[in-house]
Amino acid sequence: MVKIGILNLQGAVSEHFDMTRKTVENLKLDIEVEEVRYSDDVEKCDGLIISGGESTVIGKLIKERGIDKVIKENNIPVFGTCAGMVLLGKKTDFNQPLLELMDITVKRNTYGRQKDSFEAEIEILNQKYSGVFIRAPALESYDASKNDIKILSEFDGEIIAIQQGHNIAISFHPELTDDTLIHEYFIEEVLTSLNH
């Protein structure tokens, strides 16, 4: 059975768990959704979601537990939101452990502090979507020579959603809305990756 793991190290884990379960039900797919904490659990996953939180804390635990190695060795597609976007990148504006799965540089806290959080209508996957931004990062740059990179959404001149291969990095919080659009997109990417 296909399994989607929600990395439970810190952050909005339960919201992502609930949203992924809801997505699977909507799509009427036989997919298991499970919170995962260690490399052994992650190894059994076909896709992994990394939620918002403190990217430095999550990054350290990922390295300490060898989760980064397991993701790379098994080519597990990763969907990173907010802190997850930072962790997927090759570089950020702070010295911290990163997964380095995508050829992107991410600037942390582009949209200010917690009190500067806001909601805005964005367009992603050719649809209108309500983006919830909480201390959100944005893309500083990406390697345009890589033909497997696809920009999924921009807002106010900033790139806020990007995909490389089957990995997806977005700066906002889709798990805090009722819209399963982006989770559906990720699950389809996971299923595509299994068929290759």
Side-chain angles (χ1 to χ4, degrees):
M1 186 194 264
V2 175
K3 183 186 281 190
I4 305 287
I6 315 295
L7 193 60
N8 184 3
L9 300 179
Q10 205 237 353
V13 176
S14 60
E15 290 88 343
H16 262 299
F17 179 81
D18 294 344
M19 182 58 115
T20 310
R21 289 282 299 271
K22 180 179 164 182
T23 306
V24 166
E25 282 164 24
N26 284 359
L27 294 171
K28 296 183 171 46
L29 291 170
D30 197 12
I31 290 177
E32 199 178 335
V33 181
E34 194 177 286
E35 289 182 13
V36 291
R37 287 189 174 88
Y38 296 95
S39 55
D40 298 1
D41 309 322
V42 174
E43 200 167 357
K44 299 182 189 107
C45 295
D46 300 295
L48 185 70
I49 295 176
I50 303 177
S51 61
E54 293 293 336
S55 61
T56 38
V57 176
I58 300 169
K60 277 181 191 149
L61 288 169
I62 281 174
K63 278 270 189 288
E64 277 167 21
R65 297 181 180 189
I67 291 168
D68 51 337
K69 287 193 183 75
V70 166
I71 291 170
K72 288 171 187 171
E73 282 163 13
N74 296 282
N75 283 326
I76 299 168
V78 178
F79 172 26
T81 63
C82 199
M85 179 187 211
V86 175
L87 290 163
L88 277 165
K90 287 255 162 90
K91 268 196 210 139
T92 185
D93 50 4
F94 189 77
N95 184 14
Q96 65 178 88
L98 299 170
L99 282 167
E100 299 179 26
L101 288 176
M102 296 175 73
D103 295 293
I104 60 174
T105 300
V106 182
K107 47 184 177 189
R108 296 165 29 129
N109 300 348
T110 301
Y111 294 101
R113 308 186 87 63
Q114 198 86 15
K115 64 178 174 53
D116 304 314
S117 303
F118 65 96
E119 204 166 316
E121 187 179 270
I122 60 166
E123 191 169 299
I124 187 163
L125 306 171
N126 302 317
Q127 290 192 41
K128 297 260 185 280
Y129 191 89
S130 182
V132 178
F133 294 80
I134 303 169
R135 287 173 60 203
L139 205 75
E140 191 170 301
S141 62
Y142 66 97
D143 186 344
S145 72
K146 305 282 183 193
N147 59 8
D148 61 343
I149 287 187
K150 193 160 57 170
I151 292 162
L152 300 178
S153 185
E154 292 181 55
F155 177 72
D156 271 358
E158 302 277 5
I159 294 171
I160 54 166
I162 191 163
Q163 176 174 359
Q164 184 171 16
H166 297 295
N167 298 313
I168 299 165
I170 68 172
S171 67
F172 51 93
H173 289 267
E175 78 283 4
L176 300 179
T177 71
D178 294 325
D179 194 333
T180 58
L181 173 72
I182 301 172
H183 283 72
E184 284 177 27
Y185 185 75
F186 176 63
I187 286 173
E188 280 158 18
E189 284 299 318
V190 170
L191 297 175
T192 305
S193 78
L194 291 173
N195 294 329
H196 279 206

